[in-house]
Amino acid sequence: MKVFRLILFVLHLGILFLLLGTLLNAYVPPKVFPWFNLLSLGFPLLMICYIILTIFWVFSWKKRAFVFIFAGLAFINPVKRWVNYSDKKENPGIKVVSFNTRAGGRGSTEIGPYLKSLDADVLLLQEDAGIVYKFDGYQKANPGGGLTILTKHKIIKQQIIDPQDENLRIPGLQVDIEINGKIYRFIDVYLNPFRFEKDMVKLNGNTDTNEQKIKDVVKRLIPTFKKHQEQVGLIHKVIENSPYPVILAGDFNSVPNSYEYYHLSDGLEDAFLTAGRGSATSFHDYKFPIRIDYVFSSKSVKAISYEVDRSVSISDHYPVIVKFSAENK
């Protein structure tokens, strides 16, 4: 029994250090050391294992349980980026929707009527592929790059965030919109995708095949992480230089606790942490909880409700619907 507990103790310590490694994404860019970003993909499973082992030590009446409980406090906010419970707030507000339509649902006729039914103030779409949505009373910003912003309100200015690098896709669309007499800068984000097929991440009983699949996945992940670093830098400059409050939303192709999350949220608030309830999982094509769609805002713009609409499956992403307080500050 002592040997078994020793093995569990060493395993628990190992998981703790791996979890701490995900926190380093706030400081270490992928071009320097991409493996911390890779760790962030496994954060949910690592956290579940950590909690189970901590419970084991509690019921074993071991003093080390208190050490692991105390160390686990460092992961309260990282966990809340996946699952959160906040008080509901009732208040008329600015309704914002972010939705990766998967190239218009690849021919789905349901997307247009669904988007119209939301009656949102601003719609930020990714992988739009130039699909034309004709909504009465909406203005459209669609300069290309698969990004589209639709709004009921007056567009003051629109501009793509151009990387000026043929190896990088356009990471964002910046649109300044006047709502109720106040101008907001909306940034629609779509970072480089990994282009995985389901078969690439589906393991089978063949050890050699599985090992090769894992190697192939890592070969795609690392270069894309490095591209994300450059794209994040470009977007962050637009945020820093904005004379208006910012609402940034889109498909980051990155999980919480990743380099992308830490640096795109720098100086902004995660609307899910402020107003979300339950799970923030937004990508449902794989049987694994993945949150890669986000809505952030300047601290002067408060989220009062946050919903991932799982009632529709017209894309491989669920729409994210956020309402912000309409009060001017």
Side-chain angles (χ1 to χ4, degrees), residues 174 176 183-185 238-246:
Q174 161 198 331
D176 298 337
I183 300 175
Y184 301 84
R185 174 160 294 178
V238 174
I239 298 170
E240 286 183 326
N241 295 330
S242 175
Y244 314 117
V246 169

Side-chain angles (χ1 to χ4, degrees), residues 276-326:
R277 297 172 62 86
S279 169
T281 296
S282 59
F283 181 77
H284 60 86
D285 215 25
Y286 305 149
K287 304 302 180 182
F288 187 81
I290 302 178
R291 180 193 182 197
I292 58 176
D293 300 275
Y294 304 86
V295 179
F296 297 154
S297 69
S298 296
K299 293 178 181 179
S300 62
V301 186
K302 295 295 181 183
I304 56 177
S305 70
Y306 186 106
E307 176 192 359
V308 179
D309 188 358
R310 299 187 180 89
S311 68
V312 294
S313 296
I314 48 182
S315 170
D316 51 355
H317 293 247
Y318 292 123
V320 177
I321 305 169
V322 179
K323 189 175 285 187
F324 292 96
S325 173

Side-chain angles (χ1 to χ4, degrees), residues 185-218:
R185 174 160 294 178
F186 287 83
I187 303 174
D188 193 6
V189 173
Y190 182 51
L191 301 186
N192 268 66
F194 295 99
R195 302 299 184 193
F196 288 138
E197 298 296 334
K198 283 186 180 180
D199 186 59
M200 293 180 65
V201 295
K202 186 177 181 180
L203 302 181
N204 53 41
N206 189 311
T207 303
D208 292 338
T209 302
N210 290 341
E211 184 179 342
Q212 186 57 48
K213 283 185 176 183
I214 292 171
K215 288 180 180 178
D216 291 341
V217 167
V218 172

